[in-house]
Amino acid sequence: MKNFFQSFYFKLSAIFLILLLLISIIQIVISFNASKKFHTVTEQSTNRALAKAMASEFEQFLTDSIDVAAIEHMIHYMMVINPRIEIYLLDEQGTILAYFAGPGKQLKATSVGLAPIRTFLKGEEELPIYGDDPRHPGRKKIFSAAPLRIKQEIDGYLYIIIESEKYDDAAAMFYQGFMTRTVVKGVLISVIVTGVLGLIFFALLTRRLHRITRVMQAFERGQLNERVPVEKNDEISYLAQSFNNLAESVVSNMEEMKRTDQLRRELVANISHDLRNPLASIKGYLETIQLKDTQLEPTVRQQYLETTLKISDMLEKLVDELFQLSKLDSHQIQPHLESFFISDLLQDIIMKFKPIAEKKQIQLKAELPEQLPQVYADIGLIERALSNLIDNALRYTDCGGTVKVKIFQEDQKIRVSISDTGCGIRQEELPLIFDRFYRVEKSRSRSTGGAGLGLAIARKILELHKTTISVESRENEGTTFSFYLNTWQHSNLQMV
Ligand code: ADP
């Protein structure tokens, strides 16, 4: 119950009902005032000619002198016939000359303001026009008036208050009762009808909020597949949609974190494995050299030292690749783009690999047409990616094979391809070779010194250049790796 009073539904409903109550009261007061005004105007306009009609009755008592007693008798008589009115005879200053107040009763005022009477007689002003009430000074009443000739020289007035004191008392009682009944009835009806409908609508609206809350709580408890159905196109649906989007991104982040964690474990396992074996070999060779020292043939000793050095080189390469990859992963390396001729860079790289190719009797060919536009890339990173690819091509190509480096222009880009006539890669292995530590033939790759990081680094570098690397391969026929680089003009166009 306590929860209900704190609920959004309760607050919404309470505000709604209070507003409803206020609106009902304002509406009742406005319509009551309007009906009162309507009543006053119709009363005064229907009685506009009343004073004029009565004036002729008084003229006989005013011709030569003022017969106050006869006039007051007439006034009394007329007020008995019509108790709603009060009649006064006024002189030209507005002083009351005759009236009827009942036995022992006195008027509180001796005169009446003439300005409203004159306005009334002119007939130009809109009704209602209010005049003084001699029985209640300060109170204003609607009236009827007519001019009277007194003793043939004075301009007096017959002044009739339309709603008399008696009428006021009766009306006041009726008014209070009527007002209370109308207010209570009006408020009750509008509060019940509109209130019930409003509460039903609010319940329907908040039900959707409850549904979102339930789904959120289920999600919090670990039911990650829970989603809110989005049926409409309103704010609550936007909220539901936002929650669904949030839930999707939370789930995908969690999966990503799980994947990263799994990757990290594999990485540590791979690194330990890749370090342990070479280190054990180095230790073995060095221990043998130390133990046997003078007994070792100089040629064997030399052979041991060469092998140790080779393994150290391999370890150095592995550590360097790991370091490079971790820097690329953590975005510590950002490409410093500049324009340069890719053919010049390739010439240098080919020169570097020439001795290795010759040693393996592999033909290292290059097709580097001149007059190609400059590329816009990080020269150091691209050199690294190209070296990895050419190194692989030479490593996985047997004696007598060919490795060919080609560049050509396609649209606004330069395509670079490195193909070899080596062992090739099986189709099912192709999507995996760019994964870190992935080696097609574990033992063979290790013996050739590869740790399975070269292609991962190349792919990462090209990703930083917003381009991708593709591979085509046929087993025992050869492999081609290729990628595009932006030309300087194309990069500028994209920036515009
Ligand atoms: P590694 O250092 O072992 O060569 P890479 O990431 O460079 O690691 O390559 C991953 C795997 O892809 C290699 O183990 C190899 O089996 C295969 N591979 C890469 N380049 C070639 C190629 N040119 N020809 C045949 N196989 C290749």
Side-chain angles (χ1 to χ4, degrees):
M1 199 61 187
K2 197 178 155 217
N3 277 351
F4 173 74
F5 289 121
Q6 282 169 354
S7 68
F8 181 60
Y9 175 69
F10 174 75
K11 287 175 192 161
L12 209 65
S13 309
I15 293 171
F16 172 67
L17 290 177
I18 291 168
L19 286 178
L20 199 64
L21 219 67
L22 271 176
I23 291 169
S24 310
I25 292 169
I26 291 170
Q27 184 64 40
I28 285 164
V29 170
I30 289 174
S31 38
F32 190 79
N33 282 342
S35 75
K36 208 172 160 194
K37 187 169 179 194
F38 175 77
H39 166 79
T40 326
V41 172
T42 44
E43 277 291 300
Q44 198 171 28
S45 72
T46 47
N47 290 302
R48 187 177 254 285
L50 182 68
K52 205 174 172 190
M54 286 184 171
S56 58
E57 302 293 327
F58 289 91
E59 268 164 8
Q60 50 178 315
F61 308 114
L62 298 165
T63 330
D64 301 318
S65 62
I66 305 173
D67 186 348
V68 176
I71 292 170
E72 285 188 346
H73 182 73
M74 176 64 84
I75 290 176
H76 183 200
Y77 172 69
M78 284 175 167
M79 280 171 62
V80 170
I81 293 174
N82 186 356
R84 286 186 62 187
I85 58 173
E86 284 159 7
I87 304 169
Y88 303 90
L89 183 67
L90 311 177
D91 70 5
E92 59 192 349
Q93 266 84 44
T95 312
I96 298 167
L97 298 175
Y99 66 95
F100 177 77
K105 281 197 178 176
Q106 283 296 316
L107 287 189
K108 291 187 180 135
T110 53
S111 65
V112 171
L114 288 181
I117 297 175
R118 288 193 186 116
T119 316
F120 178 84
L121 290 174
K122 265 193 211 158
E124 288 167 2
E125 279 274 312
E126 225 179 74
L127 298 180
I129 299 169
Y130 293 96
D132 293 337
D133 178 359
R135 286 164 212 248
H136 301 281
R139 201 189 276 182
K140 299 287 178 190
K141 289 277 182 76
I142 48 165
F143 63 91
S144 175
L148 267 182
R149 199 89 184 127
I150 302 169
K151 290 195 280 182
Q152 298 180 1
E153 54 189 29
I154 308 165
D155 285 322
Y157 300 96
L158 186 67
Y159 181 61
I160 302 175
I161 298 276
I162 290 168
E163 290 179 344
S164 66
E165 199 176 24
K166 277 184 193 160
Y167 174 80
D168 270 355
D169 293 343
M173 269 176 61
F174 177 72
Y175 170 79
Q176 273 169 11
F178 173 77
M179 186 67 181
T180 325
R181 276 199 308 278
T182 318
V183 168
V184 172
K185 238 196 244 170
V187 168
L188 267 180
I189 292 172
S190 50
V191 166
I192 290 171
V193 175
T194 331
V196 168
L197 287 177
L199 296 187
I200 292 171
F201 285 130
F202 287 159
L204 288 176
L205 281 180
T206 45
R207 203 176 60 176
R208 289 171 61 205
L209 283 176
H210 285 310
R211 202 187 311 161
I212 296 178
T213 315
R214 273 200 303 278
V215 172
M216 280 178 169
Q217 284 166 345
F219 190 82
E220 198 186 344
R221 283 195 302 273
Q223 293 166 23
L224 302 181
N225 290 331
E226 287 285 327
R227 294 291 180 276
V228 189
V230 182
E231 304 136 355
K232 300 196 174 81
N233 207 11
D234 55 12
E235 283 83 348
I236 297 181
S237 302
Y238 295 152
L239 180 72
Q241 189 57 56
S242 304
F243 167 75
N244 289 349
N245 294 346
L246 185 78
E248 290 296 340
S249 74
V250 167
V251 169
S252 80
N253 282 349
M254 279 169 72
E255 277 166 8
E256 180 63 33
M257 273 162 70
K258 270 188 208 158
R259 248 199 325 272
T260 316
D261 193 49
Q262 175 69 18
L263 212 70
R264 192 183 52 78
R265 281 169 211 269
E266 280 173 15
L267 207 76
V268 173
N270 282 325
I271 294 169
S272 325
H273 185 260
D274 278 21
L275 288 177
R276 200 185 311 118
N277 289 349
L279 279 174
S281 307
I282 292 174
K283 197 177 164 203
Y285 282 119
L286 290 177
E287 272 172 359
T288 317
I289 293 170
Q290 193 190 34
L291 278 175
K292 297 198 174 161
D293 197 10
T294 47
Q295 293 147 274
L296 270 181
E297 291 274 320
T299 47
V300 178
R301 184 192 180 89
Q302 185 58 29
Q303 201 186 343
Y304 280 9
L305 284 173
E306 268 172 23
T307 315
T308 315
L309 214 61
K310 215 169 132 192
I311 300 171
S312 310
D313 284 345
M314 204 188 78
L315 274 175
E316 193 186 12
K317 185 174 172 257
L318 171 66
V319 171
D320 171 60
E321 281 180 339
L322 276 172
F323 187 54
Q324 183 82 11
L325 201 58
S326 86
K327 280 204 291 186
L328 285 167
D329 277 342
S330 59
H331 302 286
Q332 276 180 41
I333 295 180
Q334 287 302 323
H336 300 293
L337 301 181
E338 56 185 311
S339 47
F340 60 90
F341 287 107
I342 188 80
S343 49
D344 291 350
L345 177 67
L346 277 166
Q347 292 280 15
D348 293 347
I349 300 172
I350 286 168
M351 285 302 287
K352 187 173 82 184
F353 281 101
K354 233 1 203 249
I356 303 170
E358 274 165 10
K359 201 170 159 197
K360 277 192 83 178
Q361 293 172 1
I362 294 172
Q363 265 194 301
L364 183 52
K365 289 191 196 163
E367 215 173 277
L368 309 172
E370 284 168 18
Q371 284 117 26
L372 282 188
Q374 289 187 319
V375 295
Y376 193 60
D378 184 311
I379 191 164
L381 291 177
I382 294 297
E383 181 186 358
R384 176 96 202 204
L386 283 168
S387 300
N388 285 1
L389 294 173
I390 296 172
D391 182 44
N392 276 350
L394 290 173
R395 258 191 296 140
Y396 298 109
T397 302
D398 290 332
C399 244
T402 311
V403 170
K404 195 165 166 189
V405 181
K406 237 163 95 174
I407 53 168
F408 53 97
Q409 187 172 1
E410 247 184 59
D411 299 326
Q412 291 295 314
K413 297 179 171 197
I414 301 291
R415 189 180 162 101
V416 183
S417 74
I418 296 107
S419 25
D420 61 61
T421 55
C423 60
I425 305 162
R426 284 199 302 276
Q427 292 302 306
E428 61 271 23
E429 309 261 13
L430 283 178
L432 306 170
I433 53 169
F434 294 100
D435 292 350
R436 56 199 64 193
F437 288 108
Y438 191 83
R439 288 174 285 217
V440 174
E441 279 178 58
K442 292 10 177 196
S443 55
R444 192 177 72 166
S445 291
R446 183 132 346 109
S447 68
T448 54
L453 295 174
L455 286 180
I457 291 174
R459 182 173 67 172
K460 205 82 199 172
I461 288 173
L462 293 167
E463 270 173 15
L464 281 180
H465 285 79
K466 300 196 173 22
T467 182
T468 47
I469 182 164
S470 58
V471 56
E472 283 169 47
S473 188
R474 273 172 191 275
E475 253 193 298
N476 301 321
E477 283 185 27
T479 308
T480 302
F481 286 93
S482 54
F483 59 88
Y484 287 95
L485 284 178
N486 275 334
T487 57
W488 189 76
Q489 290 92 329
H490 185 60
S491 301
N492 278 350
L493 268 179
Q494 277 185 328
M495 269 188 260
V496 175

